Amino acid sequence: MLLALTLANLKMILRNRQALFWAMAFPLIFVTIFGLFRLDQPPTINLLVVDHAQDSLSTALVKNLAGLERFEVAEVQDEERARRDVQDGEVGYLLVIPEGLAEKLATPGGNQPVPIELVYDRGSQTAAIIIGTIQRFVQETNQQITHAPTVLELKAVGVQAKNLTYFDFLLPGFVGMGVMTYAIIGLSSAMALYREQKILKRMLATPLKVRTFFAAQIMAFLGLSVAQACIIVAAGVLFFNGHIYGNFLYLLVLVVIANVVFLNLGFFVGAVAKNVRAADGMANAISMPMMFLSGTFFPKESLPGVLADVVEFLPLSPLLDAMRGVALDGKAFWQYPTELAILGGWIVVSSVLAVRVFRFS
Amino acid sequence: MTEAIEVEGLVKRFGSFTAVDGISFTVHQGEVFGILGPNGAGKTTTMEIIEGLQEPTAGQTRVLGMDTHRERAKVKERIGVQLQASAYFEYLTLTEILNLFGRFYPRHLDPGGLLAKVGLVDKAKATVGRLSGGQKQRFTIAAALVNDPEVVFLDEPTTGLDPQARRNLWEFIQAIHQDGRTIVLTTHYMEEAQLLCQRVAIMDAAKIAALDTPHDLVRRLPVPYEIRVTAAGSLPQDNLAGLAGVKEVAFDADGACRLRSANAARTLQALMAWASEKGVALAEVEVVPANLEDVFLALTGHQLRD
Ligand SMILES: Nc1ncnc2c1ncn2[C@@H]1O[C@H](COP(=O)(O)OP(=O)(O)OP(=O)(O)O)[C@@H](O)[C@H]1O
Ligand SMILES: [Mg+2]
């Protein structure tokens, strides 16, 4: 009986093309947007150079800068115009190299610093990084010239073997977010509809046990959530070069555990809402803020103090944390006892809530 | 033989509002029993308590000798339920729905046979949304029969149907009665109750106003018949009120006379004698029996439908 009802539920879910489309499309839209636009890669930096010196040293400096990743360097003659361009926000930065650079530095006793001028928009957010980079370059070049001894040399060693991108960080988030929204919105509106159409009451008139009814709904939706997770990950990995470094099966285990909570919330909303529209509204009101607060797009550590502590306890947060641990650090899901405990707590609380408020008519 | 249904002192309150006010009745096995009443009379509430879908505030209901609320599961196995204005899963076909509901019971009938019975074989692979109003109603009745129930509850099975579809459904209800099932139905339509039901409970404002066979309900009216008389010429009006059995005389605009009578046979005899004595050539004489609508009006002082 449980199997028959579960299969019937799955059939209904799959035949409700519109709802199914949104279930899949919603997270896939995000995958596509973030996959296409690669928001993780900082934009290129446009740098104009007016080189009044034109000596060996200045050309070396310009060449070095142009060789830098992300730097788009262009040499121009007209300083006035270049300054205006920065002022108007047409270009980000302008570097003005004074006349006779090599000469001045080579002059013995000429120890006063040589003014190399960097013009930039004070409002620019990347300015600090750029200034740092250019300063380092100028200094290095300076050192080479003056032959000042290098007392300490900092060697930057890249230890990040896996080149983790922002997209890799996002991908588990999309899985968690997609599964959550479909469970809460899909199940709650299905329940509200069944109640509105008296289908629940009709089933209550049969010997079907209430717990069998619940179990069949949950099994069907869990099955669907696994399919959903597979599709989202497949899309991310195959089309947008995303990576799952850990065990994919562990991800599915986490999805299934957390989805029990989301489904209970779906039952809860479906029971409290007066009709399908109200259920939709409430379900959105619950899942949308959670999607942002639990760190689907940004690490939730960036939230202000107390809020950051509170959101740890939203059911989506431990799911995303554990999923990222599995996906990015290759950990096992049982290495996240705190997260699992929070989810366990939610399963208990949400089950009680769902059973308490559920009505057949 | 145990009674199909026994209801004793049933009360249902919603807050301070009383929807069912201490009603009692019995439905015999093999009977078609009707509950006739206007909107809000308490028909659905009564049915749903008997079916075990709602809890009574007070009183008892038994189905086939089993207490609805103490032996709910057993009762549900042996009853079939059609709810007022309920739908079925919109993404399953008729066959799939019947199969699914059949699984809920230890014993169930084959979907093909059920659909054949209600003339929906060609719709077996359609979804409920594709059915017309009449087909939908027939399907909900087929679904109520999926467990081969002994007692079938039909809540307003023909409401919202056109006369043709309604007649079609009546035949079908008579057919499932012929299978030996007890049927309890609610209706707003007196002709439906009169045609289908062996006994009818007239319900109004949470109470049962009368319960009997349709024939006896009508016969017990003070004036169960109306005799409509027209003459070739004009009808002399004198002495008509004094004819045997006549309680009331009224004239229509076209000159036809209506005699309300307690006894049609005696009034007709007296009418004929009166006509030959007066030398009146009667054109038409028509005996119209009262109906449940009149019974309802006499019992409650208001019309069945407003
Ligand atoms: N859950 C409820 N809460 C409050 N009042 C209710 C509830 N259910 C029914 N009622 C009220 O009880 C009364 C009887 O309702 P019921 O549905 O039994 O009437 P009915 O005879 O079936 O009417 P209809 O012919 O319109 O179906 C109505 O006045 C209705 O408003
Ligand atoms: Mg009703």
Side-chain angles (χ1 to χ4, degrees):
Chain A
M1 198 195 298
L2 176 60
L3 187 66
L5 192 54
T6 306
L7 287 177
N9 285 332
L10 270 176
K11 260 186 216 164
M12 286 188 268
I13 291 171
L14 295 178
R15 285 180 196 171
N16 186 351
R17 290 283 149 74
Q18 210 178 338
L20 192 65
F21 173 77
W22 281 109
M24 295 302 172
F26 186 65
L28 284 181
I29 286 170
F30 282 100
V31 171
T32 310
I33 291 175
F34 283 86
L36 283 179
F37 292 89
R38 305 311 315 221
L39 297 181
D40 51 327
Q41 286 172 4
T44 46
I45 293 147
N46 288 308
L47 177 70
L48 294 183
V49 180
V50 178
D51 185 1
H52 294 300
Q54 295 291 353
D55 52 28
S56 57
L57 192 55
S58 70
T59 43
L61 177 62
V62 173
K63 215 178 125 209
N64 272 334
L65 283 172
L68 275 179
E69 213 184 329
R70 299 196 268 115
F71 271 67
E72 194 74 51
V73 180
E75 263 205 73
V76 290
Q77 311 297 332
D78 188 346
E79 190 182 331
E80 281 303 302
R81 184 158 156 223
R83 281 177 189 277
R84 241 181 296 122
D85 281 350
V86 176
Q87 196 106 55
D88 299 346
E90 304 265 320
V91 270
Y93 303 89
L94 166 67
L95 194 67
V96 184
I97 303 171
E99 245 170 285
L101 180 69
E103 251 171 67
K104 280 184 191 163
L105 282 171
T107 309
N111 269 350
Q112 61 269 71
V114 183
I116 294 182
E117 190 181 359
L118 181 71
V119 185
Y120 67 97
D121 176 9
R122 246 187 234 137
S124 166
Q125 282 165 8
T126 38
I129 306 168
I130 312 304
I131 295 169
T133 310
I134 295 177
Q135 237 160 23
R136 210 179 67 226
F137 254 83
V138 175
Q139 236 155 44
E140 267 173 29
T141 319
N142 224 349
Q143 257 174 14
Q144 281 170 17
I145 292 160
T146 55
H147 305 291
T150 311
V151 183
L152 269 178
E153 190 181 10
L154 179 69
K155 201 172 170 197
V157 183
V159 286
Q160 211 175 40
K162 301 172 291 208
N163 183 22
L164 284 184
T165 63
Y166 181 45
F167 187 73
D168 291 340
F169 166 85
L170 286 175
L171 197 52
F174 292 147
V175 172
M177 170 265 266
V179 162
M180 171 195 68
T181 47
Y182 189 56
I184 298 183
I185 299 173
L187 184 62
S188 66
S189 55
M191 286 304 109
L193 183 72
Y194 288 177
R195 197 157 32 89
E196 218 170 284
Q197 296 185 335
K198 297 199 193 168
I199 291 174
L200 290 179
K201 197 180 217 178
R202 181 63 187 83
M203 288 204 273
L204 188 64
T206 73
L208 175 70
K209 291 195 179 59
V210 177
R211 70 179 119 87
T212 312
F213 169 77
F214 267 90
Q217 289 290 343
I218 290 180
M219 300 226 311
F221 271 85
L222 287 184
L224 188 87
S225 68
V226 168
Q228 226 184 334
C230 293
I231 290 174
I232 297 169
V233 168
V237 171
L238 296 179
F239 299 124
F240 301 109
N241 195 29
H243 298 92
I244 299 290
Y245 294 99
N247 189 333
F248 181 61
L249 287 180
Y250 293 167
L251 279 190
L252 293 184
V253 170
L254 287 169
V255 160
V256 166
I257 292 173
N259 214 25
V260 173
V261 178
F262 303 140
L263 291 172
N264 280 334
L265 291 178
F267 278 120
F268 175 80
V269 171
V272 238
K274 284 213 166 53
N275 52 44
V276 181
R277 270 161 165 264
D280 258 356
M282 274 180 73
N284 274 297
I286 291 177
S287 50
M288 290 303 139
M290 190 143 74
M291 171 172 113
F292 289 104
L293 291 174
S294 290
T296 302
F297 303 104
F298 310 101
K300 57 187 177 311
E301 287 70 33
S302 50
L303 287 167
V306 190
L307 193 56
D309 294 339
V310 173
V311 298
E312 291 294 336
F313 293 97
L314 293 176
L316 185 59
S317 305
L319 172 66
L320 296 191
D321 290 347
M323 279 209 301
R324 287 194 172 123
V326 170
L328 306 179
D329 303 337
K331 296 215 173 129
F333 65 86
W334 56 81
Q335 285 172 283
Y336 289 88
T338 320
E339 281 73 14
L340 291 175
I342 296 176
L343 284 176
W346 267 106
I347 289 179
V348 174
V349 171
S350 62
S351 302
V352 170
L353 268 181
V355 172
R356 273 282 167 83
V357 301
F358 199 78
R359 308 173 279 139
F360 279 87
S361 53
Chain B
M1 194 156 72
T2 51
E3 298 287 10
I5 292 167
E6 294 153 279
V7 175
E8 277 170 36
L10 185 64
V11 176
K12 177 69 178 179
R13 289 201 191 88
F14 295 106
S16 62
F17 177 78
T18 306
V20 177
D21 194 2
I23 64 172
S24 303
F25 61 89
T26 308
V27 178
H28 311 308
Q29 286 203 35
E31 204 173 25
V32 180
F33 185 90
I35 304 176
L36 179 69
N39 287 126
K43 305 182 296 293
T44 299
T45 308
T46 303
M47 280 249 268
E48 291 190 351
I49 293 172
I50 300 171
E51 294 158 358
L53 299 180
Q54 291 192 34
E55 299 298 322
T57 308
Q60 282 199 336
T61 55
R62 271 190 296 281
V63 176
L64 298 163
M66 299 174 290
D67 188 287
T68 310
H69 299 274
R70 258 179 271 136
E71 297 176 84
R72 200 187 300 248
K74 273 197 204 146
V75 168
K76 284 178 180 174
E77 284 179 12
R78 292 171 69 183
I79 63 173
V81 172
Q82 181 207 34
L83 296 173
Q84 182 174 3
S86 77
Y88 282 86
F89 303 109
E90 62 187 306
Y91 295 104
L92 293 183
T93 67
L94 301 193
T95 307
E96 285 170 339
I97 294 175
L98 293 179
N99 263 325
L100 179 63
F101 273 76
R103 294 288 176 90
F104 300 162
Y105 298 93
R107 191 166 62 102
H108 56 90
L109 298 176
D110 159 60
L114 284 169
L115 290 176
K117 201 172 237 170
V118 293
L120 289 175
V121 178
D122 52 330
K123 301 280 178 190
K125 288 199 166 64
T127 55
V128 178
R130 296 278 156 90
L131 301 182
S132 72
Q135 290 171 334
K136 223 174 260 177
Q137 284 297 62
R138 295 207 310 263
F139 176 69
T140 62
I141 297 180
L145 298 177
V146 75
N147 58 328
D148 194 13
E150 289 150 78
V151 182
V152 181
F153 295 87
L154 307 175
D155 199 351
E156 300 196 15
T158 66
T159 296
L161 299 186
D162 60 72
Q164 178 58 41
R166 178 170 301 147
R167 214 151 288 138
N168 178 306
L169 210 69
W170 287 345
E171 276 170 29
F172 172 58
I173 292 171
Q174 282 167 330
I176 60 174
H177 176 229
Q178 238 108 81
D179 295 347
R181 302 180 213 277
T182 306
I183 298 177
V184 182
L185 60 86
T186 69
T187 181
H188 290 178
Y189 303 103
M190 62 88 196
E191 69 269 34
E192 184 165 298
Q194 210 144 7
L195 181 89
L196 291 175
C197 303
Q198 266 96 62
R199 290 191 306 143
V200 174
I202 293 183
M203 196 164 182
D204 183 48
K207 288 198 158 80
I208 290 183
L211 193 166
D212 214 326
T213 64
H215 183 75
D216 283 346
L217 282 171
V218 172
R219 218 189 44 189
R220 273 198 269 120
L221 280 178
V223 278
Y225 307 99
E226 191 175 84
I227 299 167
R228 190 170 173 278
V229 187
T230 56
S234 69
L235 195 66
Q237 301 193 358
D238 54 324
N239 280 339
L240 279 173
L243 297 178
V246 173
K247 299 281 188 206
E248 218 182 304
V249 182
F251 288 91
D252 287 353
D254 62 357
C257 172
R258 292 173 180 279
L259 305 170
R260 301 234 162 78
S261 164
N263 186 326
R266 281 178 56 206
T267 303
L268 276 177
Q269 271 178 340
L271 178 68
M272 293 309 150
W274 172 86
S276 54
E277 183 190 315
K278 299 267 173 188
V280 177
L282 295 180
E284 272 177 57
V285 176
E286 206 181 351
V287 179
V288 188
N291 56 35
L292 288 179
E293 198 107 32
D294 303 307
V295 174
F296 190 83
L297 184 65
L299 285 169
T300 67
H302 57 90
Q303 299 281 341
L304 187 53
R305 268 159 286 158
D306 24 43

